[in-house]
Amino acid sequence: MILDRPFVSAALLVLTTPSLAQQLPPSVTQPAVARPRPTPIGIPIDPQVAALRDKALTDDTAYAIVEGLTTEIGPRPPGSTQQARAREWAVARLKKMGFRNVRIEPYALDNIWERGVETAEVVSPYPQPLRLAALGNSAATPAEGLTLPIAYFASFNDLALAPAGSLKGKIAFVSNQMQPTQDGSSYGSAGAARFVGPNVAAKKGAEAIVIRSIGTDHGRGPHAGGTNFAAGVTPIPAAALSVSDAENLERMMKLGGTVTLHLVLTPRNVGTRQSGNVVAEVPGSDPAAGIVLIGGHLDSWDLGTGAIDDASGIAITTAAAKLVMAAGRPRRTIRVVWFGDEETGGWGGLAYARRHAGERHAVASESDFGADRVWRVETNLPPSASAVSDRLATALAPLGIVRGAGTAGDGTDIAPVIRTGVAGIDLNQSGLRYFDWHHTPEDTLERIDPEQLRQNVAAWTTMLAIVANAPEEIGSAARKP
Ligand code: ZN
Ligand code: ZN
């Protein structure tokens, strides 16, 4: 989802005024407003829709997909052999499930970044090793590493206020904290330390930067993630300490004196390789009614096995499409896309939008916020389809889902399609646990709660059954996303 977008545009990064709002993409600084809209009263629920929704609550197809991907493939870093194997696995699985027009749509992926050696230790005054992970696009230290004093900043704002040139000869350490929020909005503010912190530190002369992981846990697993450097700024080594190690280092700083760190990071850029989106369809009976585009992303960070980010998203959407397919031919074609590359810049979504620019999409919707229960539905449908939105809210209410009034269409992978004015629907999952494990070694099958996963499938099945079969005209969004 949009909250996951790790990168900001170069234009935003070159700003010299260190205002947080100016340095984040609008999508991060303006999360969907959680204004409630009452669920409509007196709207009948189609018995077939209700039956499908209830059947989904007992369906374990999604769990089997997450289990298969995490067990038979594992981590799926962009441009990797693992990721190529995952595409082949996906094609075989989707064909076996009965989907039509299953294929890989290849594209070239540039600037592939690969992790190397990564170690850190406090040299003085309290010698001990620290756990960390290099951030995507981090530069490398010399092979023997850097041994330098730390410049400590309790928050990203403090780093932004540091005088120009004040970090020369130092390793910046930013330890801003993040609290869990149901809508995930705290990722936008806390995440700034990762999205743009290294760029800001580099511009102030820092030799390297370590940040407290962007996470809500207190464990020793670092949270990986991408960062980016503006054109004209020389990248510096950049890494995320586990939250526990960051807290330890913070305590050392508070004891006073100079803390010296030895840091070794040897990532490298391996250039361009082929990647691809995996596409599968449930053909509709009325091609003129437009495509219902759904999916999640197949790639993952490398520390875990990418269960909640985002095997669960592709599993939920695929399982729902399969249930609707089994119920009979829908009016609209449902196209499920396992987007190839979300984590390093949303390249899969861009490749999809380019390739399918001439096609009519009715609605786009993606799942990329873990596997915990859906708590809110938001729609951005044209006035011609306002009744669809009402039917949706009514049919989802028994799953404990409330209706929000934000502008739907969140998600990095569908963003390029949404930007063309296509209508969007968001089924928002609870983010209260998501950032405990996001991008960490703990993102594994064990994080999936089968019952909450089934509730997700039920919500998506309900949405697809209503939207793919709606007699109303759906196409353009009502409001600018
Ligand atoms: Zn994701
Ligand atoms: Zn992610």
Side-chain angles (χ1 to χ4, degrees):
M1 71 185 300
I2 209 104
L3 293 163
D4 219 18
R5 184 178 297 169
F7 296 115
V8 294
S9 71
L12 286 163
L13 285 163
V14 294
L15 287 170
T16 48
T17 310
S19 149
L20 178 61
Q22 282 178 296
Q23 299 193 47
L24 291 174
S27 52
V28 169
T29 53
Q30 297 163 23
V33 179
R35 280 173 291 137
R37 280 175 79 194
T39 300
I41 305 295
I43 308 278
I45 300 173
D46 182 331
Q48 277 189 317
V49 170
L52 268 177
R53 177 194 64 204
D54 297 345
K55 188 177 178 195
L57 286 172
T58 63
D59 188 277
D60 282 320
T61 304
Y63 191 88
I65 291 174
V66 180
E67 184 174 11
L69 265 178
T70 53
T71 306
E72 296 169 45
I73 307 294
R76 305 171 294 282
S80 65
T81 314
Q82 298 274 91
Q83 193 198 25
R85 278 210 300 131
R87 286 192 291 278
E88 299 299 335
W89 186 94
V91 166
R93 185 65 163 234
L94 289 161
K95 281 184 177 167
K96 197 172 163 197
M97 289 177 77
F99 286 99
R100 305 289 295 276
N101 306 325
V102 178
R103 75 264 189 189
I104 296 170
E105 295 182 344
Y107 56 86
L109 185 66
D110 299 326
N111 292 317
I112 294 167
W113 178 93
E114 272 186 6
R115 193 178 298 288
V117 174
E118 41 196 27
T119 61
E121 58 192 49
V122 175
V123 176
S124 66
Y126 313 109
Q128 58 183 287
L130 301 176
R131 290 196 182 178
L132 83 183
L135 298 178
N137 287 338
S138 164
T141 62
E144 69 277 14
L146 294 169
T147 304
L148 293 168
I150 281 175
Y152 167 61
F153 301 97
S155 69
F156 174 62
N157 193 45
D158 291 346
L159 170 70
L161 292 170
S166 63
L167 300 182
K168 282 201 166 55
K170 293 177 180 165
I171 296 173
F173 166 43
V174 183
S175 192
N176 62 313
Q177 298 185 20
M178 178 178 175
Q179 298 299 324
T181 47
Q182 183 168 242
D183 68 358
S185 53
S186 58
Y187 186 51
S189 46
R194 192 189 87 216
F195 308 143
V196 291
N199 185 70
V200 170
K203 285 199 296 187
K204 292 176 188 292
E207 310 295 330
I209 180 171
V210 292
I211 63 166
R212 175 187 169 122
S213 279
I214 308 304
T216 50
D217 63 315
H218 294 272
R220 291 207 81 186
H223 295 241
T227 191
N228 210 356
F229 295 92
V233 175
T234 304
I236 56 173
L241 291 162
S242 80
V243 174
S244 175
D245 287 273
E247 287 172 344
N248 197 8
L249 189 54
E250 215 173 331
R251 288 193 293 274
M252 293 180 204
M253 300 308 303
K254 284 176 182 161
L255 289 172
T258 300
V259 175
T260 302
L261 194 70
H262 179 63
L263 179 68
V264 181
L265 300 174
T266 64
R268 60 195 187 115
N269 188 313
V270 297
T272 301
R273 288 181 190 156
Q274 183 162 288
S275 189
N277 296 321
V278 180
V279 179
E281 289 174 353
V282 180
S285 59
D286 183 358
I291 294 157
V292 178
L293 171 67
I294 58 167
H297 66 86
L298 186 55
D299 63 319
S300 77
W301 281 97
D302 51 355
L303 305 180
T305 54
I308 63 165
D309 189 14
D310 183 30
S312 54
I314 57 182
I316 289 161
T317 50
T318 302
K322 163 116 174 99
L323 282 164
V324 172
M325 176 167 65
R329 189 170 197 172
R331 179 185 175 211
R332 295 183 171 82
T333 293
I334 299 169
R335 182 177 287 162
V336 187
V337 182
W338 296 18
F339 292 97
D341 297 279
E342 189 273 347
E343 296 289 7
T344 55
W347 306 114
L350 286 166
Y352 174 87
R354 268 187 218 119
R355 182 182 286 256
H356 298 279
E359 288 171 300
R360 180 162 193 265
H361 289 85
V363 175
S365 190
E366 82 177 65
S367 177
D368 184 16
F369 201 44
D372 279 357
R373 61 182 303 111
V374 175
W375 68 280
R376 182 176 64 185
V377 56
E378 292 187 329
T379 59
N380 190 3
L381 302 180
S384 60
S386 62
V388 178
S389 189
D390 287 346
R391 292 203 296 280
L392 200 49
T394 308
L396 290 171
L399 296 172
I401 297 170
V402 300
R403 187 189 213 184
T407 304
D410 276 358
T412 306
D413 285 315
I414 60 165
V417 169
I418 290 286
R419 278 198 295 272
T420 67
V422 169
I425 295 175
D426 291 348
L427 293 168
N428 298 126
Q429 293 147 306
S430 170
L432 289 171
R433 302 193 303 166
Y434 186 63
F435 291 105
D436 286 354
W437 308 311
H438 178 247
H439 296 181
T440 73
E442 300 300 322
D443 179 3
T444 61
L445 184 65
E446 290 73 18
R447 305 290 87 76
I448 304 287
D449 172 352
E451 190 176 334
Q452 295 197 61
L453 186 71
R454 287 191 293 265
Q455 188 261 10
N456 270 271
V457 177
W460 278 84
T461 302
T462 305
M463 188 275 275
L464 288 180
I466 290 173
V467 173
N469 290 307
E472 292 91 341
E473 177 75 9
I474 310 175
S476 56
R479 293 158 285 172
K480 197 177 182 311

